Amino acid sequence: MSQTTLPPVEKTQPVSAPSRRISDRSRAERKLGWMLAGPAFLVMLLVTAYPIVQAVYYSLFNYRLTDPENRSFTGLSNYGVILTDSLWWQAFGVTVLITVITVAVELVLGFALAFVMAKALRSLRPTLRAAILIPYAVITVVSSLAWKFAFDIDTGFVNHWFAWLPGISVDTDWFGGQASSLTVVCLAEIWKTTPFISLLLLAGLAQVPEVLQEAAKVDGATFWQRLWKVTIPNMKAAIMVAVLFRTLDAFRIFDSIFVMTAGANNTETVSFLAYRQTITRVEIGLGSAVSVLLFLSVVIIAFGFIKGFKIDLAQARGE
Amino acid sequence: MSTREKVWWWVAGVLIILYCLFPIAWIVSLSLKAPSDISNAAFLPTKATWENYTQIFSGSAADLFLPALRNSFGICLIATFVSCILSMFAAYAIARLDFPGKKLILSTALAVAIFPVISIVTPLFNLWRQIGLYDTWLGLIIPYLSLTLPISIWTMSAFFREIPWEMEQAAQVDGATTWQAFRKVIVPLAAPGVFTTAIIAFFIAWNDFAYGISLTSTSRARPVPAALGLFSGASQFEDPTGITAAAAVVVTIPVVVLVLLFQRRIVAGLTNGAVKG
C-alpha cells in the first residue's frame, strides 16, 4: 500500500514524543538482539568462514607439509591439475552415484515408513517411533562396521544366508570389486538415514488437511489417486526439504567409505579424496583445492535445489 | 478397521521394527562371539562370551579404548554445553526480540549446516598444527561447534517461538519483578526445548568422525568413532573383529538409552527444527 493514496488525515494525537520513545525502545531491542545472538553468529562465522577462506588461499600454492621451504604461488594450477585428473572425475562420479541411489531409495522407503507410522495402530505407534530413532542415533562408524562385518567374507553371515540367490555364493567377496562394494556402502547409508527422511515426511504428512482426503474419498478417488493427487502435492514442501538435506548430506559421504573400503577398488568419494590429499599425503595445496571444489559442489547443489525446485523454506516451516 | 487390515498394519509395523534393529542385533551378537566363533558364518554365536568386553575394559585393548571413551564424553559434553549456551541466547533473541538480521542468522546457520566438514578440516589441520591445537580437546571442541551450533539454533528457536511470551507480562502485572517473571514463568517453559536441543547436539557431536580422525593423532584427544575406525587389534595375531564389535556396542548404549528415554521430545525437536524452524 503506497502512502500517497491515503487521505491526509489530521492527526489528533501528538506524534513526536511517543514515536521517539518507540524508536529508542526499538533501538535498544536491536542492540540487545545482536548482543544475544551475536556470539553464536560470530562463532559460526569463525569456525566455517575463516577455514574456507584459508582453504581458498592455500589452494593457490604448491605446498607440501613435508617440504615447506619450497612453498610457491602457483595460481589456479592446482585446480587445473585436479580437473584434468581422472582420479577427481572418478571420485566425483562415485559420489554422484551414491547420492542419487541412496536419496532415491530413501525417499520411497522413507515415505512408506512414514505412511505406516501415520496409519499404524495406536498401540504400535510409540514402539515404532522409538525403533525408528535407533538407526538415527547409532553413529555412522558403528553402522558401517556392522554392515562391513555382515558382508565380510570371513566374519559375515550374508553370504551364508543368501547363497541360494543367483550371483551370491559362500565365498562372494563383496569388497573385492567396485560395484559390489558400493552396493554395501549404499545399503548401510540407506539403513542409517532413511529414519531421518521418514520423520520429516511424517511431519509433512501431518500437515495434509484431513478434509481434503475425506473430500477426495467422497468423490470416489482410489487410494493411489488420493496419494498422487492429494497427499503428495500437499506435502511437496516437506518432501523437498527432506530431499535437499539428504542430498547435501549424501554428497559429503566420508565415514562409511573410510570404514568399509578406505577408497579401494575405485570407491573413493570426493570427501575421501580431499582427506587423503591433505591428511595422508600432506599435499596442503592440492588438498585445499579439492576441499574448495567439494564446497563449491555443495553450494551449487543447494542453489540448484532452491532455485530449480523453488523450495520456499518459509513455506516448509508452515509460515 | 477390519481384522484383516489390522493384521496387515501389524505385519508392516513389525517389519519396520526388524529393519531398524537388525544391524544392532548383529553387532551385539558379534560382540558376544568367541574368537573361534567369529567366522562361523552364522548370525548367532554358538556360545555367548563376555571375553571381548573384558578385553576393551581391562585387557589388551583397554589402552586404546578407555582414553577414547573419556575423550569422547569430555569433548562432546563441553561442545554441547557451549553450543547450548550460545544458541539459547540467540534463540531467545530470534523468538522474542525484533531486530534486523534475524533472517541472516538463521540462513548462516543453515549454510553452516550444509558445509562439507572435510572442507573445514583441510585448513584446520594445518592451522591447528601451527598454533598447537592439533591433538587437543580444545582443537576438537571448536570445530564441533560448527556441527552443533546450527542445529541448536534452529531447533531451539522453533521451540522458543511456541512459548507464550505474554505470560511473562501477565506475571509482571500480577506483581512479579522482571527477573522473577523470567525465572518462574519462562525458564520452566523453555527448559524442555533446551534439554531436547542438548540431546540432539550431543548425538551430532558423538557421531563425528571426520574431525576426530583428521585433527588427532594419539589417545590424548582421539574420540571413540575415530578410534573405532582405526582399531586393528592389539597385536597383529589377534582378530580385532569381536573386540571392535564390543567397543561399538559400548559406544551405542548411551545414545540408545537417551533415545528410548526421550524419544517423544527428540522427534518433536528434529521435525520442528527442520520443518517449522
Side-chain angles (χ1 to χ4, degrees):
Chain A
M1 190 163 39
S2 65
Q3 292 289 332
T4 47
T5 55
L6 283 170
V9 182
E10 200 66 43
K11 291 188 169 93
T12 47
Q13 283 177 349
V15 207
S16 60
S19 94
R20 192 181 318 133
R21 205 180 305 144
I22 287 165
S23 87
D24 273 356
R25 212 178 123 189
S26 78
R27 203 176 304 138
E29 198 165 308
R30 260 177 211 202
K31 214 177 131 198
L32 182 63
W34 270 106
M35 260 169 61
L36 291 173
F41 184 68
L42 208 71
V43 171
M44 284 194 297
L45 283 189
L46 269 178
V47 290
T48 47
Y50 179 75
I52 202 72
V53 170
Q54 189 83 327
V56 172
Y57 176 73
Y58 283 147
S59 72
L60 304 175
F61 287 88
N62 178 5
Y63 181 15
R64 206 186 147 106
L65 211 57
T66 47
D67 187 14
E69 307 296 288
N70 285 330
R71 178 170 133 166
S72 58
F73 184 79
T74 53
L76 294 174
S77 84
N78 279 335
Y79 292 96
V81 169
I82 293 164
L83 290 175
T84 52
D85 195 324
S86 64
L87 211 61
W88 158 264
W89 292 108
Q90 168 80 36
F92 192 80
V94 167
T95 313
V96 171
L97 185 74
I98 293 175
T99 307
V100 171
I101 293 176
T102 55
V103 174
V105 175
E106 281 172 26
L107 189 61
V108 177
L109 195 61
F111 192 79
L113 296 196
F115 204 74
V116 174
M117 283 202 290
K119 303 278 155 155
L121 308 159
R122 223 162 264 281
S123 51
L124 202 57
R125 239 178 258 174
T127 323
L128 279 183
R129 200 177 39 202
I132 210 156
L133 270 176
I134 287 180
Y136 168 79
V138 168
I139 66 173
T140 315
V141 174
V142 168
S143 92
S144 304
L145 284 170
W147 285 84
K148 182 190 172 189
F149 289 148
F151 281 85
D152 191 278
I153 200 163
D154 293 321
T155 56
F157 63 90
V158 171
N159 283 345
H160 189 68
W161 277 20
F162 296 100
W164 51 274
L165 280 174
I168 300 178
S169 69
V170 182
D171 45 33
T172 302
D173 183 7
W174 290 87
F175 297 104
Q178 188 193 25
S180 56
S181 304
L182 290 180
T183 308
V184 184
V185 169
C186 286
L187 283 173
E189 281 287 297
I190 290 166
W191 176 78
K192 169 88 177 83
T193 46
T194 302
F196 176 70
I197 251 189
S198 71
L199 283 176
L200 290 187
L201 294 179
L202 184 64
L205 266 180
Q207 286 174 352
V208 178
E210 198 58 37
V211 198
L212 288 181
Q213 297 282 15
E214 293 300 323
K217 219 179 220 173
V218 172
D219 288 347
T222 65
F223 171 80
W224 288 107
Q225 280 172 333
R226 272 182 285 142
L227 187 67
W228 283 105
K229 302 269 153 97
V230 181
T231 312
I232 292 181
N234 270 295
M235 52 187 291
K236 213 169 141 197
I239 294 176
M240 277 307 167
V241 170
V243 171
L244 170 66
F245 280 141
R246 266 306 299 150
T247 305
L248 293 171
D249 205 30
F251 198 83
R252 298 176 289 179
I253 180 171
F254 176 72
D255 310 15
S256 343
I257 298 292
F258 189 105
V259 171
M260 291 204 248
T261 68
N265 300 311
N266 298 326
T267 55
E268 197 164 61
T269 60
V270 175
S271 281
F272 195 81
L273 181 66
Y275 168 84
R276 203 165 55 84
Q277 288 298 332
T278 319
I279 316 289
T280 320
R281 300 191 56 220
V282 289
E283 287 274 10
I284 302 288
L286 271 180
S288 298
V290 176
S291 296
V292 172
L293 287 174
L294 170 65
F295 170 66
L296 287 179
S297 313
V298 168
V299 170
I300 290 168
I301 295 173
F303 263 92
F305 261 95
I306 290 169
K307 296 283 172 218
F309 294 96
K310 299 199 171 57
I311 298 180
D312 188 357
L313 285 171
Q315 189 202 336
R317 281 183 256 141
E319 277 168 7
Chain B
M1 213 184 281
S2 68
T3 325
R4 205 186 134 85
E5 250 179 277
K6 257 186 196 163
V7 169
W8 277 115
W9 285 121
W10 268 101
V11 171
V14 170
L15 278 179
I16 292 181
I17 293 170
L18 277 181
Y19 167 85
C20 292
L21 300 185
F22 195 69
I24 305 300
W26 156 244
I27 202 100
V28 171
S29 149
L30 193 58
S31 75
L32 296 172
K33 284 184 177 183
S36 58
D37 236 6
I38 287 289
S39 34
N40 69 354
F43 187 81
L44 293 172
T46 37
K47 187 178 174 296
T49 159
W50 292 106
E51 208 176 304
N52 295 315
Y53 290 92
T54 327
Q55 288 288 322
I56 57 166
F57 282 115
S58 55
S60 55
D63 294 343
L64 282 168
F65 183 69
L66 291 179
L69 198 61
R70 197 181 54 229
N71 291 336
S72 262
F73 265 111
I75 293 169
C76 293
L77 284 176
I78 297 173
T80 304
F81 181 75
V82 173
S83 83
C84 265
I85 298 286
L86 287 177
S87 50
M88 200 160 64
F89 290 133
Y92 175 83
I94 288 165
R96 184 69 205 283
L97 305 172
D98 192 28
F99 65 101
K102 255 192 231 189
K103 262 220 159 88
L104 177 71
I105 293 170
L106 284 174
S107 342
T108 309
L110 194 65
V112 172
I114 64 169
F115 221 88
V117 168
I118 289 289
S119 293
I120 306 181
V121 157
T122 310
L124 279 189
F125 173 70
N126 205 25
L127 183 66
W128 273 192
R129 278 171 170 269
Q130 282 163 8
I131 62 176
L133 282 179
Y134 184 75
D135 204 21
T136 64
W137 276 29
L138 191 61
L140 280 185
I141 292 168
I142 295 170
Y144 275 17
L145 292 178
S146 76
L147 303 172
T148 51
L149 262 181
I151 195 145
S152 301
I153 291 176
W154 274 74
T155 316
M156 231 188 268
S157 55
F159 273 118
F160 279 17
R161 268 192 201 146
E162 283 164 18
I163 293 177
W165 295 99
E166 300 77 24
M167 283 174 68
E168 195 185 359
Q169 279 143 22
Q172 284 185 40
V173 169
D174 288 346
T177 64
T178 315
W179 172 243
Q180 276 177 329
F182 183 75
R183 209 175 55 91
K184 296 252 163 85
V185 180
I186 298 303
V187 170
L189 285 174
V194 174
F195 184 69
T196 308
T197 309
I199 293 179
I200 295 174
F202 183 79
F203 277 175
I204 289 174
W206 193 249
N207 187 23
D208 162 74
F209 179 71
Y211 286 131
I213 197 98
S214 315
L215 302 178
T216 64
S217 59
T218 63
S219 60
R220 217 175 121 201
R222 179 172 286 147
V224 179
L228 271 179
L230 296 175
F231 242 17
S232 50
S235 79
Q236 53 176 324
F237 303 107
E238 208 174 307
D239 185 2
T241 308
I243 294 173
T244 311
V249 172
V250 173
V251 186
T252 308
I253 289 169
V255 282
V256 168
V257 169
L258 282 177
V259 156
L260 294 180
L261 284 179
F262 304 108
Q263 37 140 329
R264 194 181 289 268
R265 292 222 190 123
I266 295 169
V267 172
L270 282 177
T271 49
N272 271 350
V275 183
K276 280 192 205 144

